[in-house]
Amino acid sequence: HLTPTASPPAPAAGACAGPPPSPGLRCYAAPTSPPRAPGMQAADAVPAMPSSQPSLAPATDASPVPAVADAHADAAPDAAALATELLRAGEYPFGRCADMPINGYPGLSYRTAAAQLAGSSDGVIKAAGLVGLARCLWGVAAGAGTAPLALPDGRTRTLRELLIEAIACDPHNSSAYLVLGNRLGPTETIMLTDARKCSRLQLFIEAIHCDPQSSMAYSSLGQALASSETAQLLDGRVVSKRTLFIEAIRCDAKNIGAYAALAACLGGRQTAQLSTGETLTASELYVEAIRRDPSSSAIFLALASRLGPFDTIRLADGRTLSTRELLSEAVRLDPRSMR
């Protein structure tokens, strides 16, 4: 990332602000740890999730994470595999799932695994553990995550501090930027340990830069933008809300929240062309979302809102439903949906 210039450049659009970097260097410090284990595709979302995004119920048990011996701290291959599995678990908060066993690790829960990894001497593995702890403890800290939490090593940290430490351990951990961004309000900024001052948008842009295949990073940035806003990514692309949701679908065709959010961007007879070449209307995007997840009450409600009182629409499973039947299906899936 060297840029021939005689004086320190200003931060690029979307880049986190900080003190003037060395001439020609980007404003964040180069990582000192080995490349992070791959596998972060679907991970952490906002405390007040937009209605188009699914979310897990938050945990209600406010007890501290149990102390766990660092069995994996020096076992790099096993710890790296465990870190990869933890990142693969999804971009949403673990909530009450924190104490469920991890696939392939009988008897080892997400909470216990995160506590083990957080004590590692390897920066990349430690960062994965810290982000995992933040996700396990999501429901413990109220509000934006400013309540102190007891960690296995006796330290007290807030969720934000856990995530800031994770970024310091591994500046390429996309999940850490993503969760931290979803913990900030629209006008808030936060100072990282390398003196970068980042807004919510800038953290999402960093998350995309660290993992260009993170569907939730594109979705989160799209949700954070106003309808007429654009954002410049660190690869130079200037993207709109619509483009970001199309990218989110390209990265993960099962991200039904991205279909719903893209549909919400379209008015009247407008269409959107997906990366596959398909051109879909808003109603067709909702139908596709239902095909991929027929259990989402919110999608049935959104589709019903697009139809007239006497309209019908054919779903991918062959059913032809009226507006009233769509609403009834939404209530069947979630009786609270019409409240």
Side-chain angles (χ1 to χ4, degrees), residues 184-205:
L184 295 188
T187 60
E188 283 187 283
T189 60
I190 198 162
M191 187 72 73
L192 304 183
T193 56
D194 58 7
R196 282 183 291 165
K197 187 177 182 181
C198 295
S199 67
R200 180 171 65 156
L201 294 179
Q202 290 163 335
L203 288 167
F204 293 146
I205 289 170

Side-chain angles (χ1 to χ4, degrees), residues 23-111:
L25 294 180
R26 288 192 44 164
C27 67
Y28 63 81
T32 56
S33 52
R36 121 178 115 75
M40 182 229 133
Q41 186 51 41
D44 314 302
V46 293
M49 182 72 70
S51 59
S52 62
Q53 301 286 349
S55 63
L56 297 176
T60 55
D61 179 10
S63 58
V65 179
V68 179
D70 183 16
H72 293 279
D74 298 316
D78 291 343
L82 190 57
T84 298
E85 185 59 37
L86 210 62
L87 291 170
R88 186 181 291 134
E91 289 176 345
Y92 300 107
F94 287 141
R96 293 188 180 127
C97 298
D99 294 309
M100 293 178 62
I102 302 177
N103 291 335
Y105 295 85
L108 185 62
S109 70
Y110 290 103
R111 188 190 302 272

Side-chain angles (χ1 to χ4, degrees), residues 65 118 126-127 129-138 141 145 147-153 155-169 176 180:
V65 179
K126 181 182 180 73
L130 290 170
V131 175
L133 280 178
R135 290 160 58 196
C136 288
L137 297 171
W138 189 277
L149 304 169
L151 301 186
D153 59 8
R155 292 181 299 156
T156 300
R157 291 288 184 272
T158 66
L159 285 187
R160 290 187 179 187
E161 289 170 341
L162 280 175
L163 295 165
I164 290 171
E165 184 177 349
I167 292 171
C169 291
L180 184 56

Side-chain angles (χ1 to χ4, degrees), residues 242 262-273 279-285 306:
R242 188 182 300 191
L262 179 57
C265 291
L266 304 180
R269 297 181 179 274
Q270 287 184 314
T271 60
Q273 185 173 25
T279 300
L280 303 178
T281 64
S283 295
E284 290 168 337
L285 285 165
R306 282 282 177 166

